[in-house]
């Protein structure tokens, strides 16, 4: 028996990286998945590889009309969504004094406004159905700060807070909402060239290596499934211990 048998899931940013890993593990555990992304060719390939249990739908998470179309496609093909993973995200490096306003806005649009629209559109269907689990992929940048990443950090702290408001608003309708906080994970975002990574930044972690997308997908699976039935409005961290504290030894 699969851990997501009978469930319908929407995963954003699923053409590659963690979103792809989440789509793969969800299908392996019995879900039917709508793979969403702005990368149409890559997303189509991921959905095709998953067979009858997946479809691709174009989605720019910052576009509310796209969200309506994704919901309609999910309902038409598979039924009312039970799971929404707001995974799509972008990263931009710049110190605050150098960051251009448009760049700051674009990070917030994708990383914060996107999940807001997803919760508004898909959350409406879930609350009407009286069931659902929403997983908002934040970051350890939503728990601590980083230089050069002001917009990203602001968006991920914002998403962590929005998760709590949504959990309170949706709770009585049977919909749970949690935030997931990965540390460094080997995806095109953290490793655009796909080559061997410099291990130095990870050597100070209790688990001294970068994470694998599949390791984050396992936590998303737990949150998507009924195994996490008493958890809502909470932060779930998978970071190799990066935020555990300082090593004074
Ligand atoms: P990635 O860049 O490999 O994949 C992100 C996906 O999101 C891509 O397929 C991209 O096309 C898609 N996307 C970007 N903008 C979009 C938009 N407007 N609409 C729809 N899709 C869009 O990144 P990843 O590492 O797999 O990141 C997944 C999530 O995990 C992100 O929210 C990221 O911020 C977060 N995260 C990543 C790391 C890391 O080290 N990789 C660490 C912490 C948190």
């Amino acid at each position: 028996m699969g851990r997501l048998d009978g469930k319908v899931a929407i995963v954003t940013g699923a053409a590659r990286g963690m979103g792809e890993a989440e789509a793969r593990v969800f299908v392996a555990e019995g879900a039917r998945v709508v793979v969403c992304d702005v990368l149409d060719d890559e997303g189509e390939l991921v959905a095709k590889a998953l067979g009858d249990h997946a479809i691709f739908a174009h989605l720019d998470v910052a576009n509310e009309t796209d969200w309506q179309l994704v919901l309609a496609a999910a309902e038409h093909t598979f039924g009312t969504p039970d799971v929404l993973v707001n995974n799509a995200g972008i990263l931009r490096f710049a110190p605050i004094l150098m960051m251009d306003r448009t760049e700051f806005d674009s990070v917030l649009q994708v990383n914060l406004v996107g999940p807001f629209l997803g919760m508004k559109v898909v959350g409406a269907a879930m609350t009407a159905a009286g069931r659902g689990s929403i997983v908002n992929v934040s970051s350890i940048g939503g728990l601590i700060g980083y230089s050069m990443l002001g917009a990203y950090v602001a968006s991920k702290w914002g998403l962590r807070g929005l998760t709590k408001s949504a959990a309170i608003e949706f709770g009585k309708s049977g919909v749970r909402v949690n935030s997931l906080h990965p540390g460094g994970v080997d995806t095109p975002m953290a490793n655009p060239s796909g080559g061997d990574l410099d291990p130095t930044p990870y050597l100070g972690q209790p688990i001294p290596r970068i994470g694998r997308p599949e390791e984050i997908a396992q936590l998303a699976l737990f949150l998507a499934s009924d195994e996490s039935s008493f958890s809502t409005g909470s932060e779930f961290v998978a970071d190799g211990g990066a935020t555990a504290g300082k090593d004074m030894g």
Side-chain angles (χ1 to χ4, degrees), residues 14-16 20 24 34-51 54-58:
R16 68 184 194 196
E20 177 183 355
R24 287 182 184 280
V34 184
V35 170
C36 304
D37 212 291
V38 286
L39 299 177
D40 295 340
D41 293 346
E42 293 88 337
E44 292 277 12
L45 281 176
V46 169
K48 203 169 161 207
L50 294 173
I55 57 166
F56 173 74
H58 176 86

Side-chain angles (χ1 to χ4, degrees), residues 16 18 37 39 59-61 87 152 156 182-183 185 187-189:
R16 68 184 194 196
M18 276 183 242
D37 212 291
L39 299 177
L59 171 70
D60 174 351
V61 292
N87 165 81
Y152 185 81
K156 295 300 189 180
V185 180
T187 67
M189 178 181 280

Side-chain angles (χ1 to χ4, degrees), residues 113-211:
V113 176
F116 157 70
L117 292 173
M119 288 197 281
K120 187 175 171 192
V121 173
V122 181
M126 287 179 165
T127 52
R131 62 169 199 276
S133 173
I134 299 174
V135 183
N136 288 326
V137 181
S138 174
S139 165
I140 55 172
L143 300 172
I144 59 174
Y146 289 92
S147 63
M148 305 290 290
L149 287 175
Y152 185 81
V153 164
S155 72
K156 295 300 189 180
W157 277 76
L159 184 53
R160 176 184 170 200
L162 184 61
T163 297
K164 295 188 186 301
S165 291
I168 297 163
E169 292 182 15
F170 295 175
K172 288 193 178 62
S173 305
V175 178
R176 301 182 294 106
V177 191
N178 291 289
S179 55
L180 196 166
H181 301 261
V185 180
D186 194 354
T187 67
M189 178 181 280
N191 182 15
S193 74
D196 285 343
L197 273 169
D198 174 9
T200 319
Y202 305 101
L203 294 180
Q205 287 177 188
I207 301 172
R209 63 169 174 82
I210 194 166

Side-chain angles (χ1 to χ4, degrees), residues 76-126:
H76 175 75
T77 314
F78 296 137
T80 305
D82 303 282
V83 175
L84 167 64
V85 184
N86 279 314
N87 165 81
I90 58 173
L91 181 76
R92 298 286 182 268
F93 289 94
I96 291 163
L97 296 182
M98 305 287 288
M99 184 169 279
D100 148 307
R101 163 82 193 259
T102 321
E103 191 104 301
F104 189 88
D105 283 345
S106 68
V107 173
L108 265 87
Q109 283 295 317
V110 177
N111 295 4
L112 183 56
V113 176
F116 157 70
L117 292 173
M119 288 197 281
K120 187 175 171 192
V121 173
V122 181
M126 287 179 165

